Amino acid sequence: MTIQLDMGLHTFGDVTADVDGALLPHAVVIRNLVDQAALADELGVDFIGVGEHHRADFAVSAPEIVLAAIASRTKRIRLGSATTVLSTDDPIRIFERFATLDAASNGRAEVILGRGSFTESFRLFGYPLDQYEELFDEKLDLFAALLKQQAITWEGKLRPPLINQDVFPPVEDAPLKTWIGVGGSAESVVRAAHYDLPLMLAIIGGEPKRFLPYIDLHFRAYQTLDKPPQPVGMHSPGYVAATDEKARDEFWPAYKVMRDRVGRDRGWPSMQRSEFDQETAHGSLYVGSPQTVARRIAETVRALGVARFDMKYSAGPLSHQNTMCCIELYGTEVIPLVREMINHDSDLTRSTRTSAL
């Protein structure tokens, strides 16, 4: 039996540098991102996720618009967010936008709902940060009701009630594929199970196996609910080049710029090369040659039992040219190698069990 593993790519639309090191205009970054997604589609990558941010170092604040442009250039790749910041948006408008994207792309739209790792959208859109949890909880409840595609009657505390309200356009092949993005909260895992939605784990640092308790909790929650479990996916940063040395030397300077910039806002110390090397060897940075990256992804997939692996290939000012080379190697070499590795292991396990009988 062949194990089905989806493999995708994520980008936050990081503002990149040209060959001379000068930062590109946001408009150019967005057009380059569309080219990156078109290449991923040609190479058979399963999914492209585009993040939402509202700050100078990221070019994409409206992922659905960029995804619609990608839809016009692609045929098969699934299109989604990475992630949509539900807390500071209107659930009805999110549903309408993704339902429209789904129609325009012939059923390829997905949405990953989360809180986001930055809080600038609260101030920008006038939401109180002290309602961080309450906003997400209530808006997720409304969004889950919208997925049923029935006239909706709903009441919460933070917005006026809805009474027998229809929402358009309907999703042609309902329901809209919706994931809950989780960065390491047991409450979020249980919440996803409560709404019967698949789980997308953001594993961006440290040993990936530390997320096993969340995956176990996911399955235990479904046992309690007496339902078949929804799939679990994961998202981690990575980069592929011809050799391990080339990949690390190209990725490290850009990754450090991004990591230190974020860290300054959060009180983190500046990242050292030793920490980076540790993460690429044993942590959650999948950086190296196609063989190295494939081996590490396969090890993680086997350990966690996830159904999808999405690699975040963009990193600060890392150039468009380098990201295109990375996508090509990911699509042509890494994905086939990972699938070969995990299915070979599955065949060996099945053969061993058969022999034991």
Side-chain angles (χ1 to χ4, degrees), residues 9-238:
L9 291 166
H10 282 187
T11 176
F12 292 168
D14 306 64
V15 173
T16 53
D18 63 17
V19 293
D20 297 321
L23 293 180
L24 293 171
H26 288 68
V28 174
V29 173
I30 290 171
R31 290 193 289 269
N32 286 344
L33 195 164
V34 175
D35 289 341
Q36 292 159 16
L39 175 62
D41 180 62
E42 293 172 10
L43 299 174
V45 178
D46 294 308
F47 176 82
I48 182 74
V50 179
E52 173 197 345
H53 293 87
H54 306 271
R55 46 189 288 147
D57 43 343
F58 298 104
V60 180
S61 60
E64 305 93 334
I65 306 300
V66 178
L67 291 166
I70 293 170
S72 72
R73 293 269 307 274
T74 58
K75 295 180 179 179
R76 56 167 302 281
I77 195 167
R78 300 199 302 276
L79 313 166
S81 57
T83 64
T84 294
V85 184
L86 178 62
S87 305
T88 56
D89 206 339
D90 186 311
I92 295 175
R93 291 297 288 145
I94 293 173
F95 182 87
E96 289 176 337
R97 295 194 298 262
F98 275 92
T100 302
L101 174 66
D102 193 70
S105 65
N106 287 312
R108 291 186 281 142
E110 300 185 8
V111 59
I112 302 175
L113 300 174
R115 294 176 176 83
S117 59
F118 298 92
T119 60
E120 72 275 358
S121 60
F122 282 81
R123 181 176 63 257
L124 181 64
F125 298 121
Y127 288 95
L129 194 54
D130 61 3
Q131 291 184 347
Y132 185 85
E133 295 287 347
E134 189 177 3
L135 282 164
F136 185 80
D137 289 347
E138 181 166 306
K139 292 186 178 193
L140 178 58
D141 189 67
L142 174 53
F143 195 91
L146 294 168
L147 292 174
K148 299 175 184 177
Q149 292 210 155
Q150 302 168 352
I152 183 172
T153 296
W154 178 93
E155 186 172 356
K157 297 179 180 179
L158 303 177
R159 60 162 294 158
L162 298 165
I163 301 174
N164 200 33
Q165 179 69 55
D166 290 310
V167 176
F168 301 101
V171 175
E172 189 171 27
D173 187 15
L176 175 69
K177 182 76 171 183
T178 302
W179 300 74
I180 299 297
V182 177
S185 161
E187 292 79 9
S188 295
V189 174
V190 173
R191 184 186 292 113
H194 171 74
Y195 289 110
D196 198 21
L197 296 172
L199 197 66
M200 181 61 67
L201 299 171
I203 307 179
I204 59 174
E207 165 60 56
K209 291 180 184 177
R210 67 192 176 90
F211 276 75
L212 270 173
Y214 297 109
I215 295 174
D216 291 341
L217 177 61
H218 171 79
F219 286 105
R220 290 201 310 273
Y222 271 97
Q223 287 177 341
T224 302
L225 296 168
D226 197 25
K227 294 180 180 179
Q230 290 282 358
V232 178
M234 65 172 290
H235 147 110
S236 288

Side-chain angles (χ1 to χ4, degrees), residues 318-334:
L318 185 70
S319 74
H320 173 58
Q321 291 81 1
N322 283 350
T323 57
M324 290 289 273
C325 291
C326 170
I327 291 168
E328 182 169 3
L329 289 171
Y330 184 77
T332 59
E333 298 191 39
V334 173

